[in-house]
Amino acid sequence: MAEILIIGAGGVGRVVVHKCAQEKTFDKITLASRRLSSCQAYQKEVKERYNKDINIAEVNADSVADLITLFRQVKPDIVLNIALPYQDLTIMEACLQTGIHYLDTANYEHPETAKFEYKEQWAYHDRYKEAGIMALLGSGFDPGVTNVFCAYAQKHYFDEIETIDILDCNAGDHGYPFATNFNPEINLREVSANGRYWENGTWIETDPMEIKMVWDYPQIGKKDSYLLYHEEMESLVKHIKGLKRIRFFMTFSQSYLTHMKCLENVGMLGIEEVEHQGCKIIPIQFLKTLLPDPASLGSRTKGKTNIGILAKGKKEGKERTIYIYNVCDHEATYKETLSQAVSYTTGVPAMIGAKMMMQGIWMDKGVFNMEQFDPDPFMEALNQDGLKWFVKEL
Ligand SMILES: NC(=O)c1ccc[n+]([C@@H]2O[C@H](COP(=O)([O-])OP(=O)(O)OC[C@H]3O[C@@H](n4cnc5c(N)ncnc54)[C@H](OP(=O)(O)O)[C@@H]3O)[C@@H](O)[C@H]2O)c1
């Protein structure tokens, strides 16, 4: 039995708190966030749905001192960062200073430069090891389950994987002309950046959306898929044997791309402060205020997501292609957790990662990415906890 502290009561935080409340491993749950009102709403849902009491707290997760005060009051066994990537380092630091295990779903992002990388988080490895605690990085779907799919392919299907394409499709329709399915600032910074993929030991940069392919996603159909840089590639190139190329593709509708281009052209995706009638504003943060809250999309979203990996390589000298994927239905996830499938596919693996750690199944000292552990128990938990997966030999 373990005590868990979840930081961040947004779209993904709602799923994490619902799934933790359904799971026996966590006997005490605390949800903390910037605004107590969001925590109170989810506390009420959990009581109504599962007849379970959870504790709530207000915290500024940008402040290491405030976090340490909270951790000393709550005394959790593990802290989950389900707030934003900007808070990864403050929460990791507070966990280090209090000797508590850490988990997140997205790698550290510099607020002032639209850039994300593992460097600063990996730099904690030796200090976490010395303190006898563990950090599990990127326990969402992508990163997260996609890393586990790669480790599973490597363990069961290949002697050597030569190429991996990660394929992420959200065919959900929320009925708004434009909205993002997770935090708009993080999402738009990610998709408007240059693309990047890894081949023969070097990173190759592309213009945003320069490379497009059409993939036929099971249960969805053919969709335009665009090459993006995505963070799991940074750790997978280190850990997957024999890899020669890895790419990441995500689907976007023409309407989404046109909206995004217009917003970019008029400066609304800017991350630098601008003066507006005597006030200082950051355009992308103002845009977040205008756009629908991703946590509110659940009740209106219909359709499915399909995220998977296509791995090619050799087994006993023979060429082989394996496709491992999950399909998730927005309406079904709303019924279960009052959330759309993008939040659900992120929140369920976060709960499973914490469960693996607290049950001692995935436990070590230091800072780790998902593919560094045995994928089998995690894959089994995905099937049990709502994210059924399929393997196809192509
Ligand atoms: N790996 C994956 O597959 C994957 C996929 C999607 C998302 N993600 C990640 O999941 C995380 C959550 O996404 P989301 O869509 O749930 O975002 P969200 O709806 O914007 O929720 C973020 C929550 O964190 C809170 N928060 C923000 N800054 C804070 C601070 N300084 N102190 C305390 N609380 C703070 C926010 O509080 P307020 O409500 O007061 O603003 C909000 O409740 C993000 O890191 C995102 O990158 C990962």
Side-chain angles (χ1 to χ4, degrees), residues 7-13 32-35 38 59-62 81-85 87 105-106 138-144 181-184 186 231 288 293-295 342-343 345-346:
I7 301 182
V12 180
S33 200
R34 183 159 49 192
R35 289 175 300 158
S38 339
V59 72
N60 171 14
D62 292 319
N81 174 15
I82 313 294
L84 297 179
Q87 283 85 46
T105 67
S139 191
F141 206 102
D142 46 343
N181 291 289
F182 68 96
N183 185 280
I186 303 296
E231 64 199 60
K288 175 179 185 286
D293 176 1
V342 175
S343 300
T345 52
T346 310

Side-chain angles (χ1 to χ4, degrees), residues 39 44 82 89 94 101 116 121 124 130 144 153 159 162 168 179 195 200 220 309 316 333 336 350 374:
C39 302
K44 190 164 168 268
I82 313 294
L89 298 183
H101 301 298
F116 40 92
Q121 292 186 274
Y124 272 92
E130 269 166 40
D159 294 326
E162 286 166 7
D168 178 332
N200 296 325
I220 289 175
I309 65 137
E316 287 155 10
T333 64
E336 185 192 335
D374 179 5

Side-chain angles (χ1 to χ4, degrees), residues 2-16:
E3 301 196 2
I4 188 166
L5 169 61
I6 302 157
I7 301 182
V12 180
R14 182 187 229 158
V15 175
V16 177

Side-chain angles (χ1 to χ4, degrees), residues 88-326:
D88 285 0
L89 298 183
T90 46
I91 301 179
M92 281 187 86
E93 180 59 35
C95 281
L96 179 65
Q97 290 192 33
T98 49
I100 298 169
H101 301 298
Y102 169 89
L103 176 151
D104 66 31
T105 67
N107 75 1
Y108 178 63
E109 184 153 345
H110 308 251
E112 296 82 29
T113 46
K115 183 177 177 193
F116 40 92
E117 58 188 356
Y118 280 118
K119 193 170 72 188
E120 283 99 332
Q121 292 186 274
W122 284 342
Y124 272 92
H125 180 73
D126 290 347
R127 282 173 286 160
Y128 264 58
K129 196 172 173 179
E130 269 166 40
I133 53 172
M134 170 171 157
L136 183 62
L137 307 183
S139 191
F141 206 102
D142 46 343
V145 175
T146 48
N147 303 56
V148 178
F149 283 173
C150 291
Y152 189 79
Q154 177 167 274
K155 180 173 174 183
H156 295 286
Y157 292 97
F158 294 96
D159 294 326
E160 245 182 27
I161 300 182
E162 286 166 7
T163 67
I164 294 172
D165 283 334
I166 299 167
L167 304 161
D168 178 332
C169 169
N170 176 11
D173 181 7
H174 41 59
Y176 286 115
F178 186 75
T180 63
N181 291 289
F182 68 96
N183 185 280
E185 190 181 335
I186 303 296
N187 185 218
L188 291 168
R189 278 167 64 134
E190 175 180 286
V191 302
S192 59
N194 279 350
R196 202 160 17 126
Y197 64 99
W198 187 88
E199 191 161 32
N200 296 325
T202 47
W203 290 101
I204 297 157
E205 193 152 300
T206 69
D207 285 337
M209 312 294 166
E210 185 188 326
I211 299 183
K212 179 179 108 169
M213 67 148 177
V214 176
W215 182 252
D216 193 355
Y217 294 88
Q219 299 189 42
I220 289 175
K222 288 185 179 163
K223 290 276 174 196
D224 290 346
S225 308
Y226 296 85
L227 186 142
L228 297 184
Y229 176 66
H230 223 245
E231 64 199 60
E232 63 265 55
M233 294 191 286
E234 191 186 356
S235 68
L236 287 167
V237 299
K238 281 176 58 157
H239 299 130
I240 299 296
K241 280 188 283 183
L243 197 60
K244 294 193 175 68
R245 189 188 70 199
I246 184 163
R247 306 181 297 184
F248 181 97
F249 290 88
M250 190 177 270
T251 61
F252 297 102
S253 67
Q254 205 46 55
S255 161
Y256 183 99
L257 294 178
T258 307
H259 275 84
M260 205 179 72
K261 198 74 211 153
C262 292
L263 291 166
E264 192 176 16
N265 285 346
V266 297
M268 283 301 285
L269 303 188
I271 60 172
E272 308 273 322
E273 236 175 36
V274 294
E275 181 102 10
H276 173 70
Q277 297 187 344
C279 305
K280 292 212 185 305
I281 58 163
I282 295 177
I284 199 165
Q285 290 180 358
F286 176 63
L287 177 64
K288 175 179 185 286
T289 308
L290 299 178
L291 289 176
D293 176 1
S296 71
L297 299 177
S299 61
R300 15 184 328 142
T301 309
K302 296 185 181 357
K304 290 176 180 166
T305 62
N306 177 326
I307 315 174
I309 65 137
L310 182 72
K312 293 186 186 182
K314 287 200 182 82
K315 179 82 179 170
E316 287 155 10
K318 284 200 188 119
E319 304 275 339
R320 188 165 211 197
T321 302
I322 295 289
Y323 179 39
I324 311 178
Y325 63 94
N326 160 263

